[in-house]
Amino acid sequence: MMSSFLFRAMDARAGIFLAILGAAIILVPASNLLVPENSPFHVPTYAVTLMGKYLTYALLALAVDLVWGYCGILSLGHAAFFALGGYAMGMYLMRQIGTRGVYGDPILPDFMVFLNWQDLPWYWSGFDMFWFAAVMILLVPGALAFIFGWFAFRSRVTGVYLSIITQALTYALLLAFFRNDMGFGGNNGLTDFKDILGFDIQADTTRAGLFAASGLALVVCFLICRAVTRSKLGKVLVAVRDAESRTRFLGYRVEHYKLFVWTLSAMMAGIAGALYVPQVGIINPGEFAPANSIEVVIWVAVGGRGTLVGAVLGAVLVNFAKTWFTAALPDIWLFALGGLFVVVTLFLPKGIVGTISGGWTALRQRKISSDYEKGSDEPPSTPPQSPSAPANIIHCEPVARFPGTTKPQPAE
Amino acid sequence: MARASSLLYLDGVSVSFDGFKALNELSLTIAPGEMRAIIGPNGAGKTTMMDVITGKTRPDSGDVYFDGAVDLTGEDEASIAELGIGRKFQKPTVFESHTVWDNLELALKAPREPFATLFHVIANGEKKRIESLLDLIRLGNKRHELAANLSHGQKQWLEIGMLLAQDPKLLLVDEPAAGMTDAETAETADLLKDIAKDHSVVVVEHDMAFVRSLGVKVTVLHEGSVLAEGSLDHVSADERVVEVYLGR
Ligand SMILES: Nc1ncnc2c1ncn2[C@@H]1O[C@H](COP(=O)(O)OP(=O)(O)O)[C@@H](O)[C@H]1O
Ligand SMILES: [Mg+2]
């Protein structure tokens, strides 16, 4: 049972993608650590860290694509789960500082000493142990998503209403984390980290290790997403995306399905945040900003909603462009991003990967048909074998509920 | 007929939308194994009745019982489907970005919980069942086609196939022949008669030739309640029925 579950995760496209990712995981750190600095093949440490950051963004995009691309839940609040995972990691890193802080307190982080706190708040205990922090990285975003989803999906909040409350969720957390008495460092957040698992966080080797860890996390989560979306459960998710109320009439409890992928996705976002923080060296409430979540949706749209490779590609490409733009033409980045979204929505509604694979299928179809006309015996109805067609960005499904909001009936 | 021996039992069911009574004290009983045709002019409340039975709409008042004992007004769509009531919609609704095969696989009677479907591996028995359904609905050569690419009539048939795949005790079929050619309509009637051999079926239809070819008891709905009931000849001899159909 388990082996067929994993086997489903593989096919040619996934294979190529994983091969590229695997090569990057090995070659980038190697050319940073092993190749001499004056060689053209040397990758400088700042670039390793930058690419590591892209990989964590790619993982976040993957998480968003899982719920949006496959289940039609347009989350505009996934940065909240990302940031919570990041804070959990940040708390661990803060407690590793020990007496090396400005105030030299062995237990209390600097900001608590500054606020004249005498004791560590109860919710900071345990974070000196990595395993505990690792559990919290999954548990905190997962639990929040579960509770949020439990109420939202049970009361059948869908479409734009759901998107709005996910924005409200991340905004509420933004405001909460800004407050000093929350105990998370207020608007300065958590920073000045020294080491992680005993390794100096600034060291080239640690940076390379974090890059590799981000790549590995992406590979594992990609395989999980792949196995989930190609299973029968994945087919149910696409059914929910395309015709939610029909799925209910078949006997599927739609809210349970949504809750499952929503929670899974939030945990992946948490992992992404946890890997992001040691690489950028800071986590502050700005990560909860509503605009961040919206940006993730744009990455996914650009790469191709409903294609896992597309989500990863979109995140990397858009962030690469962002890095370039914010250095060269900082003032126009937001306009460029907005323009990109408009262009993709109008001209590439399936995103880059969706458009390419759609074009490929059509080409193959045409070739098979013309071969058939020339007298080959293969019948021309070779199908697009995908378990589901890549989704369009714009997707409006009318909300069905009790009287007053039933699906519009066609004229009889 | 008594509630205890009925398969479906509606008593005094009313539904109103913003003051407009779509169902008005509707009472109707279907016996186990029965096939029943429901006719009535547009807006008579036929679709609303199906919405009430399948849990999409809650009645303002009245009783709805399945199998003599299960109160359907307290259940939601998914559990009503699990109890064994399948529904074909007036507008064909299939999963457009899934293939014909996947549509049937999703409908197939099997555990419906997320963890069961996550680790589900299609069994040989299931494949055979899907194959035989594909034959029945004549979509065998379209099995890998996306449902979005089917014609209207093919979608109707696919939806009937999905209904059968669920293996329900009671099938509710809303206007199966809408938008079909005469030949397709006749085939659909044959298919439904075939299905009715081992299922209970409630079929809503406008097409009188279709209803006649079914040859079953007919219930005429009008303004949310039953106007007449009996054989097609019996109800078409009823003056009020003629008046409703031919206009006042
Ligand atoms: N969700 C709704 N909101 C408001 N009015 C509705 C709704 N559903 C049905 N109706 C009204 O109830 C009446 C019965 O509709 P329906 O059951 O679809 O009729 P039929 O299927 O017999 O043609 C119609 O007048 C229709 O406009
Ligand atoms: Mg109707």
Side-chain angles (χ1 to χ4, degrees), chain A residues 409 412, chain B residues 46-47 90 174-175 204:
Chain A
Q409 297 285 320
E412 284 162 279
Chain B
K46 306 179 298 289
T47 300
Q90 183 168 351
D174 202 350
E175 305 206 15
V204 162

mmCIF file of all heavy atoms in Angstrom, chain A residues 409 412, chain B residues 46-47 90 174-175 204, ligand 2:
data_model
loop_
_atom_site.group_PDB
_atom_site.id
_atom_site.type_symbol
_atom_site.label_atom_id
_atom_site.label_comp_id
_atom_site.label_asym_id
_atom_site.label_seq_id
_atom_site.Cartn_x
_atom_site.Cartn_y
_atom_site.Cartn_z
ATOM 1 N N GLN A 409 -29.843 28.012 -11.440
ATOM 2 C CA GLN A 409 -30.338 26.951 -12.302
ATOM 3 C C GLN A 409 -30.436 27.489 -13.721
ATOM 4 O O GLN A 409 -30.726 28.652 -13.924
ATOM 5 C CB GLN A 409 -31.735 26.507 -11.836
ATOM 6 C CG GLN A 409 -31.754 25.920 -10.451
ATOM 7 C CD GLN A 409 -31.174 24.519 -10.418
ATOM 8 O OE1 GLN A 409 -31.409 23.725 -11.315
ATOM 9 N NE2 GLN A 409 -30.369 24.234 -9.418
ATOM 10 N N GLU A 412 -35.107 26.507 -18.053
ATOM 11 C CA GLU A 412 -35.578 25.164 -18.393
ATOM 12 C C GLU A 412 -36.153 25.129 -19.797
ATOM 13 O O GLU A 412 -36.563 26.145 -20.305
ATOM 14 C CB GLU A 412 -36.637 24.724 -17.389
ATOM 15 C CG GLU A 412 -35.987 24.332 -16.084
ATOM 16 C CD GLU A 412 -36.994 24.319 -14.955
ATOM 17 O OE1 GLU A 412 -37.269 25.394 -14.440
ATOM 18 O OE2 GLU A 412 -37.495 23.261 -14.623
ATOM 19 N N LYS B 46 -40.442 20.860 -8.717
ATOM 20 C CA LYS B 46 -39.870 19.509 -8.867
ATOM 21 C C LYS B 46 -38.418 19.467 -8.406
ATOM 22 O O LYS B 46 -38.021 18.586 -7.635
ATOM 23 C CB LYS B 46 -39.982 19.062 -10.339
ATOM 24 C CG LYS B 46 -41.406 19.137 -10.894
ATOM 25 C CD LYS B 46 -41.498 18.714 -12.341
ATOM 26 C CE LYS B 46 -40.722 19.562 -13.336
ATOM 27 N NZ LYS B 46 -41.262 20.911 -13.587
ATOM 28 N N THR B 47 -37.632 20.419 -8.884
ATOM 29 C CA THR B 47 -36.221 20.441 -8.489
ATOM 30 C C THR B 47 -36.086 20.752 -6.996
ATOM 31 O O THR B 47 -35.260 20.161 -6.297
ATOM 32 C CB THR B 47 -35.450 21.459 -9.343
ATOM 33 O OG1 THR B 47 -35.559 21.075 -10.714
ATOM 34 C CG2 THR B 47 -33.984 21.515 -8.964
ATOM 35 N N GLN B 90 -30.437 18.509 -12.973
ATOM 36 C CA GLN B 90 -31.125 18.970 -14.174
ATOM 37 C C GLN B 90 -30.107 19.422 -15.219
ATOM 38 O O GLN B 90 -30.164 19.018 -16.369
ATOM 39 C CB GLN B 90 -32.045 20.111 -13.780
ATOM 40 C CG GLN B 90 -32.881 20.636 -14.901
ATOM 41 C CD GLN B 90 -33.961 21.555 -14.379
ATOM 42 O OE1 GLN B 90 -34.176 21.666 -13.176
ATOM 43 N NE2 GLN B 90 -34.652 22.210 -15.281
ATOM 44 N N ASP B 174 -33.285 14.134 -12.517
ATOM 45 C CA ASP B 174 -33.965 15.384 -12.878
ATOM 46 C C ASP B 174 -33.784 15.667 -14.367
ATOM 47 O O ASP B 174 -32.669 15.957 -14.818
ATOM 48 C CB ASP B 174 -33.392 16.527 -12.029
ATOM 49 C CG ASP B 174 -34.350 17.704 -11.924
ATOM 50 O OD1 ASP B 174 -35.364 17.718 -12.663
ATOM 51 O OD2 ASP B 174 -34.087 18.612 -11.109
ATOM 52 N N GLU B 175 -34.858 15.579 -15.109
ATOM 53 C CA GLU B 175 -34.883 15.878 -16.540
ATOM 54 C C GLU B 175 -33.722 15.255 -17.317
ATOM 55 O O GLU B 175 -32.901 15.967 -17.895
ATOM 56 C CB GLU B 175 -34.917 17.397 -16.749
ATOM 57 C CG GLU B 175 -36.085 18.006 -16.001
ATOM 58 C CD GLU B 175 -36.564 19.310 -16.602
ATOM 59 O OE1 GLU B 175 -36.189 19.621 -17.750
ATOM 60 O OE2 GLU B 175 -37.331 20.005 -15.936
ATOM 61 N N VAL B 204 -37.963 13.014 -12.993
ATOM 62 C CA VAL B 204 -38.694 14.224 -13.352
ATOM 63 C C VAL B 204 -38.509 14.438 -14.843
ATOM 64 O O VAL B 204 -37.376 14.369 -15.336
ATOM 65 C CB VAL B 204 -38.132 15.428 -12.579
ATOM 66 C CG1 VAL B 204 -38.551 16.735 -13.231
ATOM 67 C CG2 VAL B 204 -38.564 15.385 -11.131
HETATM 68 MG MG MG C 2 -36.397 21.794 -12.381
#
